[in-house]
Amino acid sequence: MVLAESGGPGDAPAGSLPAGTAREVVSNRVMTWNLCNPCGASNVDRAAQIATYAPQVIGVQEACAGDVERIRHYLESRHGLVYHVAYGPVLRNWGRCGGMPWSPGAYGQAILSAAPMTGQVTVEYPDGGSEDRGYMAVTTEVGGRSVRIFNTHFAERRQEAVRADQARVLAAAVAKHDRAIVIGDFNAVPDAPELGRMWKLAQDADPRCRPSAAHLCEPSTDWQSRFDYIFLRGIAPLEQAVHPTPYSDHDLLHADLDVA
């Protein structure tokens, strides 16, 4: 797959760290972030915000493959953080990701992991709604333990029935694993009926956040809705936080986990 690079305003040649300089990731920390595309954000700034929290695993949505590669490069060259990358369901979108009409950039989801990833699966939902959507899954290490990671992006706006069917497909895959982490933009508030299947399988990384206490779930978007989640199956949460950002209409969401 040939991926066109897409830069944002303010992207600049990366500075170099001194030879041998490397930072440590937080080995039990995972993060999800809808990058918002097009939002015109600088990949230098995106990388710097990710590096502030240095997660072991990062799931991104609404991401151009070229942007992900630049962010990955800046994380290493400017912050000493080295990540492997896997790409999930993607569209070819010239308007969002640049390139030529006959060779547009790849747009969709990706997972960055400090540890190698195996067993990658990419699934497109039977009905994506107004735009093709799907989930990806990999096996990698979190806190030194092997864990199955899912990253997804559900249908947007008033497509409740479509999201309910997407949740059915995703939940069936997650249910096959005793231990799993499911991250992504679900485009649904905690007490939305279409998320019922997910809540039956897993808890949110914030133990206070659940359908019956939706008012306790911290918003993760500029419109004060909780759409982004880190669902845990067979894994206990230690700490969770939402980090506001000027670089997207979604906030960063990270969780530290007890995977022992």
Side-chain angles (χ1 to χ4, degrees):
M1 179 169 65
V2 179
L3 304 177
E5 288 221 348
S6 168
D11 278 5
S16 298
L17 290 170
T21 299
R23 281 183 56 191
E24 293 292 329
V25 298
V26 182
S27 66
N28 67 333
R29 178 170 294 171
V30 299
M31 174 184 286
T32 184
W33 193 13
N34 182 314
L35 294 181
C36 177
N37 199 303
C39 269
S42 162
N43 291 316
V44 172
D45 293 332
R46 287 166 165 167
Q49 188 148 24
I50 291 171
T52 299
Y53 308 104
Q56 172 82 6
V57 174
I58 310 153
V60 293
Q61 308 86 39
E62 289 196 33
C64 291
D67 287 332
V68 173
E69 286 301 323
R70 288 175 182 243
I71 290 168
R72 184 180 173 219
H73 170 68
Y74 295 139
L75 283 167
E76 180 173 0
S77 64
R78 295 192 168 208
H79 305 285
L81 297 169
V82 180
Y83 289 96
H84 303 266
V85 64
Y87 293 97
V90 295
L91 303 173
R92 298 293 180 175
N93 196 307
W94 181 51
R96 278 178 165 158
C97 297
M100 299 296 181
W102 58 89
S103 183
Y107 166 81
Q109 298 153 230
I111 293 176
L112 300 173
S113 174
M117 291 174 277
T118 60
Q120 181 175 349
V121 172
T122 299
V123 175
E124 184 175 331
Y125 293 127
D127 184 356
S130 56
E131 179 179 87
D132 291 344
R133 296 284 168 89
Y135 74 82
M136 63 182 297
V138 301
T139 298
T140 190
E141 287 187 5
V142 177
R145 298 287 300 274
S146 178
V147 179
R148 193 66 171 167
I149 308 282
F150 292 80
N151 181 20
T152 193
H153 191 187
F154 278 10
E156 62 181 353
R157 297 191 180 95
R158 298 177 180 175
Q159 301 179 79
E160 293 85 353
V162 174
R163 289 195 295 274
D165 189 58
Q166 292 170 349
R168 177 187 59 78
V169 174
L170 178 62
V174 174
K176 297 176 182 178
H177 301 271
D178 294 332
R179 292 159 48 88
I181 302 169
V182 188
I183 57 182
D185 175 5
F186 289 78
N187 271 311
V189 294
D191 55 355
E194 59 265 33
L195 289 188
R197 290 179 184 270
M198 293 306 304
W199 289 113
K200 289 179 180 179
L201 286 174
Q203 65 171 327
D204 188 74
D206 180 356
R208 302 170 304 166
C209 182
R210 54 190 187 277
S212 61
H215 63 287
L216 297 178
C217 301
E218 190 173 357
S220 65
T221 67
D222 285 356
W223 48 97
Q224 296 302 300
S225 294
R226 179 63 175 266
F227 281 180
D228 306 273
Y229 299 87
I230 298 175
F231 283 114
L232 306 176
R233 177 171 169 83
I235 296 171
L238 294 175
E239 184 181 1
Q240 178 266 349
V242 177
H243 306 286
T245 173
Y247 309 122
S248 173
D249 55 4
H250 287 251
D251 298 326
L252 286 78
L253 178 63
H254 97 260
D256 294 346
L257 309 174
D258 181 0
V259 293

